[in-house]
Coordinates of all heavy atoms in Angstrom, one line a residue:
Chain A
E543 N -157.4 -15.1 -17.7 CA -156.3 -14.6 -16.8 C -155.0 -15.4 -17.1 O -155.0 -16.6 -17.0 CB -156.7 -14.8 -15.4 CG -157.6 -13.7 -14.8 CD -156.9 -12.3 -14.9 OE1 -155.8 -12.2 -14.3 OE2 -157.5 -11.4 -15.4
P544 N -153.9 -14.7 -17.3 CA -152.6 -15.5 -17.4 C -152.2 -16.0 -16.0 O -152.3 -15.2 -15.0 CB -151.6 -14.4 -17.9 CG -152.2 -13.1 -17.6 CD -153.7 -13.3 -17.5
T545 N -151.9 -17.2 -15.9 CA -151.6 -17.8 -14.6 C -150.5 -18.8 -14.8 O -150.4 -19.4 -15.9 CB -152.8 -18.6 -14.0 OG1 -154.0 -17.9 -14.4 CG2 -152.8 -18.7 -12.5
L546 N -149.7 -19.0 -13.7 CA -148.7 -20.1 -13.8 C -149.1 -21.2 -12.9 O -149.2 -21.0 -11.6 CB -147.3 -19.5 -13.4 CG -146.2 -20.5 -13.6 CD1 -146.0 -20.7 -15.1 CD2 -144.9 -20.0 -13.0
Y547 N -149.4 -22.4 -13.4 CA -149.7 -23.5 -12.6 C -148.5 -24.4 -12.5 O -147.5 -24.3 -13.2 CB -150.8 -24.4 -13.3 CG -152.0 -23.7 -13.8 CD1 -152.5 -23.9 -15.1 CD2 -152.8 -22.9 -13.0 CE1 -153.6 -23.3 -15.6 CE2 -153.9 -22.3 -13.5 CZ -154.3 -22.5 -14.8 OH -155.4 -21.9 -15.2
T548 N -148.6 -25.3 -11.5 CA -147.6 -26.3 -11.4 C -148.3 -27.7 -11.4 O -149.3 -27.8 -10.6 CB -146.7 -26.2 -10.1 OG1 -146.2 -24.9 -10.1 CG2 -145.6 -27.2 -10.1
V549 N -147.9 -28.6 -12.3 CA -148.5 -29.9 -12.3 C -147.5 -31.0 -12.0 O -146.3 -30.9 -12.4 CB -149.3 -30.2 -13.6 CG1 -150.5 -29.3 -13.7 CG2 -148.4 -30.1 -14.8
A550 N -148.0 -32.0 -11.3 CA -147.1 -33.1 -11.0 C -147.9 -34.4 -11.1 O -149.2 -34.3 -11.1 CB -146.5 -33.0 -9.7
L551 N -147.3 -35.6 -11.2 CA -148.0 -36.8 -11.2 C -148.6 -37.1 -9.8 O -147.9 -36.8 -8.8 CB -147.0 -38.0 -11.5 CG -146.8 -38.2 -13.0 CD1 -145.7 -39.3 -13.1 CD2 -148.1 -38.6 -13.7
G552 N -149.8 -37.6 -9.8 CA -150.4 -37.9 -8.5 C -150.0 -39.3 -8.0 O -149.7 -39.5 -6.9
G553 N -149.9 -40.2 -8.9 CA -149.5 -41.5 -8.5 C -148.2 -41.9 -9.2 O -147.5 -41.0 -9.6
D554 N -148.0 -43.1 -9.5 CA -146.8 -43.5 -10.1 C -147.0 -44.0 -11.6 O -146.1 -44.4 -12.2 CB -146.1 -44.6 -9.3 CG -147.0 -45.8 -9.2 OD1 -148.2 -45.7 -9.6 OD2 -146.5 -46.9 -8.7
G555 N -148.2 -43.8 -12.0 CA -148.4 -44.2 -13.4 C -149.8 -44.1 -13.9 O -150.7 -43.4 -13.3
I556 N -150.1 -44.7 -15.0 CA -151.4 -44.6 -15.6 C -152.0 -46.0 -15.7 O -151.3 -47.0 -15.9 CB -151.3 -44.0 -17.1 CG1 -152.6 -43.9 -17.8 CG2 -150.3 -44.8 -17.9 CD1 -152.6 -43.1 -19.0
T557 N -153.3 -46.1 -15.5 CA -154.0 -47.4 -15.5 C -154.7 -47.5 -16.9 O -155.6 -46.6 -17.2 CB -155.0 -47.5 -14.4 OG1 -154.3 -47.3 -13.2 CG2 -155.6 -48.9 -14.4
V558 N -154.4 -48.5 -17.7 CA -155.1 -48.6 -19.0 C -156.0 -49.8 -19.0 O -155.5 -50.9 -18.6 CB -154.1 -48.6 -20.1 CG1 -153.4 -47.2 -20.3 CG2 -153.1 -49.7 -20.0
P559 N -157.2 -49.7 -19.4 CA -158.1 -50.9 -19.5 C -157.8 -51.6 -20.8 O -157.5 -51.0 -21.8 CB -159.5 -50.3 -19.5 CG -159.3 -48.9 -20.1 CD -157.9 -48.5 -19.8
T560 N -157.8 -52.9 -20.7 CA -157.6 -53.7 -22.0 C -158.8 -54.7 -22.1 O -159.4 -55.1 -21.1 CB -156.3 -54.5 -21.9 OG1 -156.4 -55.4 -20.8 CG2 -155.1 -53.6 -21.8
V561 N -159.0 -55.1 -23.3 CA -160.0 -56.1 -23.6 C -159.3 -57.0 -24.6 O -158.9 -56.6 -25.7 CB -161.3 -55.5 -24.2 CG1 -162.3 -56.7 -24.5 CG2 -161.9 -54.5 -23.3
A562 N -159.3 -58.3 -24.3 CA -158.7 -59.3 -25.3 C -159.9 -59.8 -26.1 O -160.7 -60.6 -25.7 CB -158.1 -60.4 -24.5
G563 N -160.0 -59.3 -27.3 CA -161.1 -59.6 -28.2 C -160.7 -60.6 -29.2 O -159.6 -60.8 -29.6
E564 N -161.8 -61.3 -29.7 CA -161.5 -62.2 -30.8 C -161.6 -61.4 -32.1 O -162.6 -60.7 -32.3 CB -162.7 -63.3 -30.9 CG -162.6 -64.4 -29.8 CD -161.4 -65.3 -30.2 OE1 -161.4 -65.8 -31.3 OE2 -160.5 -65.5 -29.3
P565 N -160.7 -61.6 -33.0 CA -160.8 -60.8 -34.3 C -162.0 -61.3 -35.0 O -162.3 -62.5 -35.0 CB -159.5 -61.2 -35.0 CG -158.6 -61.7 -34.0 CD -159.4 -62.3 -32.9
I566 N -162.8 -60.4 -35.6 CA -163.9 -60.8 -36.4 C -163.4 -61.3 -37.8 O -162.6 -60.5 -38.4 CB -164.9 -59.6 -36.6 CG1 -165.4 -59.2 -35.2 CG2 -166.0 -60.0 -37.5 CD1 -166.3 -58.0 -35.3
P567 N -163.7 -62.5 -38.2 CA -163.2 -62.9 -39.5 C -163.6 -62.0 -40.6 O -164.8 -61.6 -40.6 CB -163.7 -64.3 -39.6 CG -164.4 -64.7 -38.3 CD -164.6 -63.4 -37.6
T568 N -162.7 -61.7 -41.4 CA -163.1 -60.8 -42.6 C -162.9 -61.6 -43.9 O -162.5 -62.7 -43.8 CB -162.2 -59.6 -42.6 OG1 -160.8 -60.0 -42.8 CG2 -162.3 -58.8 -41.4
T569 N -163.2 -60.9 -44.9 CA -163.1 -61.6 -46.2 C -161.6 -61.8 -46.5 O -161.3 -62.6 -47.4 CB -163.7 -60.7 -47.3 OG1 -163.2 -59.4 -47.2 CG2 -165.2 -60.7 -47.3
A570 N -160.7 -61.2 -45.8 CA -159.3 -61.3 -46.1 C -158.9 -62.8 -46.0 O -158.2 -63.3 -46.8 CB -158.5 -60.5 -45.1
V571 N -159.5 -63.5 -44.9 CA -159.1 -64.9 -44.8 C -159.6 -65.7 -46.0 O -158.9 -66.5 -46.5 CB -159.8 -65.4 -43.5 CG1 -159.5 -66.8 -43.2 CG2 -159.4 -64.5 -42.3
L572 N -160.8 -65.3 -46.4 CA -161.4 -66.0 -47.6 C -160.5 -65.8 -48.8 O -160.2 -66.8 -49.5 CB -162.8 -65.3 -47.8 CG -163.7 -66.1 -48.8 CD1 -164.2 -67.3 -48.2 CD2 -164.8 -65.1 -49.3

Side-chain angles (χ1 to χ4, degrees):
Chain A
E543 279 296 310
T545 323
L546 189 68
Y547 311 129
T548 306
V549 292
L551 277 176
D554 57 353
I556 181 168
T557 305
V558 292
T560 60
V561 179
E564 284 289 309
I566 298 174
T568 60
T569 50
V571 182
L572 190 73

